[in-house]
Amino acid sequence: MAVGTLTAVPVPAPRQINRAVAGVAMALGPFAALPLAAAAGLIVLGGAAIGLPAAAVAALALGAVALGSRGLHLDGLADTADGLGASYDRSKALDVMRRGDSGPTGIATLVLVLLVQFGALTGAISAGHGATAAVVAVLCGRCVLSLCCAKGVPSARPEGLGATVAQSVPRAVAVLVFVVAAGLATLAPGLPWWRGLLAVAIGYGAAALLLARCVQRIGGITGDVLGGCVEAAVAGALLATA
């Protein structure tokens, strides 16, 4: 479930999907995203080795991650922005998010967040630690899924991906994922220990702000909200490494 939901890697469908399976899948999000993180890191290393401009390498790395996840999280970010910008009425906001198209608010948000990610990764590449920054940011983005699906965070709808995974991760597990992510980030090669820790903290902070806003405005999470939180965390982590 983790690999099939978060990446484009073809895997068999889960034999069953229940609350326990969903919780484990969300906690294993960073492991499922390891191929995406590795691809981004290798692209940065390869681009630097052959002398490509930092901006071009950053765009290729971010594009590979988007391709490897079928653009799922980017789509979620745009839909979430459209919903939050559409109306203070919960039902109307959820209806806007359910549609398949993207409005001006969603498109503007998508462009701006991608520009932040692109600019930050370009800065990290120019500073000589782009590969590490890309790997840390991609994995941090998937770590926050356990936060979004922790006990106490409701689903905004009675159906859909959000309803399947909402409150499926015990709080202790969500805290453990954060602690492990922060601890491993302090060992990230090419970065001072505090910079890796800061990347995870800012990534989680960005996702938590968006999550809190969605709980307040639409009553909880949806699949789109999860995608938006992933992209927010990636942007925050990259900024910390820029």
Side-chain angles (χ1 to χ4, degrees), residues 185-204:
T186 63
L187 305 176
L191 292 177
W193 70 267
W194 59 268
R195 183 71 75 88
L197 179 61
L198 184 65
V200 172
I202 292 181
Y204 262 80

Side-chain angles (χ1 to χ4, degrees), residues 143-176:
C143 285
V144 301
L145 290 170
S146 58
L147 167 69
C148 297
C149 300
K151 296 285 187 183
V153 182
S155 172
R157 298 193 188 103
E159 77 287 334
L161 177 61
T164 302
V165 300
Q167 305 195 66
S168 63
V169 179
R171 292 180 182 177
V173 173
V175 171
L176 178 62

Side-chain angles (χ1 to χ4, degrees), residues 25-110:
M26 293 300 98
L28 292 178
F31 292 96
L34 280 173
L36 303 183
L42 289 174
I43 288 172
V44 172
L45 290 174
I50 62 177
L52 288 179
V57 176
L60 289 172
L62 292 173
V65 174
L67 182 64
S69 59
R70 301 187 298 271
L72 179 69
H73 310 308
L74 295 173
D75 178 69
L77 174 66
D79 287 344
T80 300
D82 275 332
L84 293 178
S87 172
Y88 282 101
D89 180 79
R90 176 177 176 272
S91 297
K92 184 175 181 180
L94 287 171
D95 181 62
V96 169
M97 293 171 66
R98 189 180 285 109
R99 301 172 189 170
D101 56 347
S102 294
T105 303
I107 292 173
T109 300
L110 185 61

